[in-house]
Amino acid sequence: MNPLDLLTGLREDLAGAGYTVDGVGELVGDVASAALDREQPLPALRATEGSREPAAVLLRCCTLGRTVTRGELDAALPRTGTAGAVALGLVAAAGEEPGDEVRPLVDLRPYEVDDAAGAASWWLVSDLGELATGQALRSDHVLGVGGASLTLASATVRTPVDRVLDVGTGCGIQALHASRHARRVVATDTSERALDLAAVNAALNGVRLDLRAGSLLEPVAGGERFDLVVSNPPFVITPRRPGVPQYEYRDGGMPGDSLVARLVREVGGVLAPGGVAQLLGNWELRDGEHWSQRLESWLAGTGLDAWVVQREVADPALYAETWIRDGGQKPGPVFDELYAAWLDDFAARGVTGVGFGVVTLRLPARGGAPLRRFEEVLSTLSDPLGGVLAAGLAAHDRLSALDDEALAGTALRVAPDVTDERYHAPGDPDPRVVLLRQGGGLRRAVQADGDLAGLVGACDGELTVGQIAAGLAVLLEEDAAGLRARLLPRVRRLVEDGLLLLP
């Protein structure tokens, strides 16, 4: 049978079996679902033990990596059958009898998303991970959806566009996301196996992708331009020495953080005017250098707007432990040898830590000084970062068109998630500290003096900034022009940060 017909039948089988995120959650319960998110299979195995329900059979085989019988899989996939799953390379069967064992060759699991582009449900094929095999990963392992993938998906600006480029697509998850708000999606990878699995995932979910082999931006060299570029590149900082495993999905073959630096420097060459590039990355931290300075050096001469949000910081030891474990290596002599190699590599370059975050770049459609924003947000965010970034970029553009006189003539209003916190010393009639705090967005807390707090408190969308400042000047018996000049730059920043909203 034609592979596309098989994949269409498989999609119908998976839906019919209730092999969805909600279906699996109902099947195994909250405790087992949470354990699965932590890559712990035992609660889910116990919850499905002995069950012949289609979703239970598929979970045990396709996610947990256990064998099932041919008869069980035939019943769970009535259109595809074990024969079709074998033809697609999903499983291997020991024989033709109903009681013969079938073992999984890949991971196949449900995935759901609900972001600015709406809700969607997909199934994703990737390589079996440590949860299923209990062994260290192969160097050509193709990763499924991990924490980094979810971070980038949440951070991506979902404005409808014409063309999107996904650099280092892996199993294709970012490309699937982009397909919902783009006319055409080009996805690249150096791994032929990754491209094969991305093609399977696209066909399985009824999505068209233009898949190309090659490193970073090489597959689109020659003048192609994109409205959005997304990339979860192989950014892990790995020692380049014999005996240290290199994994295609995370190691780009370049020393230190130079791969991310190269992508930052070169991605502007494939952006259309006004186009946005968003990528994840690690950057090395050194004593005496603020983390933003390293990224500033990468941006020099690009002419790009840049907004970087640092989300995590790890010391060299924690970083080494994290990525050695990620490869499936258990504690022991080999683990210790790799640990020493990582620490030696960092020490040789004077690295005292590693930052991780989201880099958002934009090719300005107009002239002017490029935007530069570097923020560290280590706390959990309640809102998808993509919406926050989109709103912030839009506010920056609108503010750029407003001189001080125009801003003073604008009626602003306080964002609905902003609260005013006041801290008094015992017995003091006036607060020592006033904080304007966001409940959503990047959860910023801005310290405000009485003048700024008074202005913000009066921003109701009716009075202009200038009118409020004039009223405050009368109340405070201050020079009106001086007060306004002092407040306007701070008002601009509150608008950029989303605490005050333009009409």
Side-chain angles (χ1 to χ4, degrees), residues 106-118:
V106 294
D107 183 294
L108 169 61
R109 66 179 69 192
Y111 174 75
E112 287 185 354
V113 61
D114 189 1
D115 59 20

Side-chain angles (χ1 to χ4, degrees), residues 354-484:
V354 179
F356 165 81
V358 181
V359 180
T360 299
L361 309 171
R362 183 175 61 170
L363 182 63
R366 303 179 185 86
L371 169 69
R372 289 287 184 273
R373 299 198 69 173
F374 298 94
E375 303 187 62
E376 183 173 71
V377 185
L378 305 182
S379 59
T380 301
L381 299 178
S382 57
D383 297 332
L385 185 55
V388 177
L389 295 172
L393 291 172
H396 169 78
D397 292 343
R398 293 187 64 190
L399 282 171
S400 297
L402 297 176
D403 60 17
D404 282 353
E405 196 62 35
L407 180 59
T410 302
L412 306 175
R413 59 185 175 88
V414 182
D417 65 336
V418 172
T419 55
D420 178 325
E421 300 178 6
R422 295 172 182 253
Y423 297 87
H424 297 252
D428 283 355
D430 298 319
R432 293 275 184 93
V433 178
V434 178
L435 290 180
L436 304 173
R437 187 181 298 278
Q438 285 179 316
L442 294 184
R443 297 182 176 271
R444 298 179 180 91
V446 178
Q447 187 167 340
D449 56 22
D451 299 347
L452 184 62
L455 184 145
V456 171
C459 285
D460 58 0
E462 295 184 6
L463 295 174
T464 68
V465 173
Q467 289 171 331
I468 297 171
L472 285 173
V474 173
L475 288 173
L476 300 172
E477 298 181 347
E478 288 194 32
D479 173 66
L483 179 63
R484 191 175 90 161

Side-chain angles (χ1 to χ4, degrees), residues 174-425:
Q174 304 303 328
L176 290 179
H177 273 273
S179 70
R180 298 156 66 235
H181 60 97
R183 184 183 63 83
R184 183 181 180 189
V185 180
V186 177
T188 72
D189 209 293
T190 58
S191 166
E192 290 291 346
R193 177 161 179 77
L195 292 173
D196 288 343
L197 292 183
V200 169
N201 286 325
L204 176 59
N205 294 288
V207 172
R208 295 186 63 182
L209 300 178
D210 180 351
L211 297 167
R212 305 182 191 179
S215 177
L216 296 180
L217 302 173
E218 291 173 2
V220 295
E224 289 187 81
R225 295 292 181 268
F226 297 87
D227 306 295
L228 175 66
V229 177
V230 293
S231 182
N232 179 11
F235 57 74
V236 176
I237 300 170
T238 304
R240 303 298 165 195
R241 60 185 65 184
V244 177
Q246 310 290 310
Y247 298 98
E248 289 183 345
Y249 73 90
R250 72 181 206 192
D251 301 311
M254 299 174 68
D257 53 16
S258 55
L259 183 141
V260 178
R262 177 179 171 185
L263 192 53
V264 168
R265 292 187 181 113
E266 296 180 357
V267 72
V270 300
L271 288 176
V276 172
Q278 296 187 277
L279 59 132
L280 301 182
N282 277 153
W283 36 85
E284 296 183 340
L285 310 178
R286 295 178 172 83
D287 283 337
E289 179 184 70
H290 190 266
W291 68 268
S292 64
Q293 292 177 269
R294 187 159 189 81
L295 285 107
E296 281 274 21
S297 70
W298 299 349
L299 291 161
T302 64
L304 297 174
D305 291 331
W307 189 349
V308 184
V309 181
Q310 181 165 270
R311 298 290 286 129
E312 296 175 13
V313 176
D315 62 58
L318 176 59
Y319 189 85
E321 294 163 17
T322 298
W323 291 109
I324 296 169
R325 291 193 186 109
D326 177 80
Q329 188 62 56
K330 301 292 194 298
V334 175
F335 186 102
D336 291 344
E337 289 176 11
L338 294 173
Y339 204 169
W342 242 282
L343 296 180
D344 289 346
D345 183 59
F346 283 136
R349 293 192 301 280
V351 176
T352 58
V354 179
F356 165 81
V358 181
V359 180
T360 299
L361 309 171
R362 183 175 61 170
L363 182 63
R366 303 179 185 86
L371 169 69
R372 289 287 184 273
R373 299 198 69 173
F374 298 94
E375 303 187 62
E376 183 173 71
V377 185
L378 305 182
S379 59
T380 301
L381 299 178
S382 57
D383 297 332
L385 185 55
V388 177
L389 295 172
L393 291 172
H396 169 78
D397 292 343
R398 293 187 64 190
L399 282 171
S400 297
L402 297 176
D403 60 17
D404 282 353
E405 196 62 35
L407 180 59
T410 302
L412 306 175
R413 59 185 175 88
V414 182
D417 65 336
V418 172
T419 55
D420 178 325
E421 300 178 6
R422 295 172 182 253
Y423 297 87
H424 297 252

Side-chain angles (χ1 to χ4, degrees), residues 14 60 77 102 153 166 294 358 382 453 474:
L14 296 174
R60 291 179 67 85
L77 302 175
V102 176
D166 176 16
R294 187 159 189 81
V358 181
S382 57
V474 173

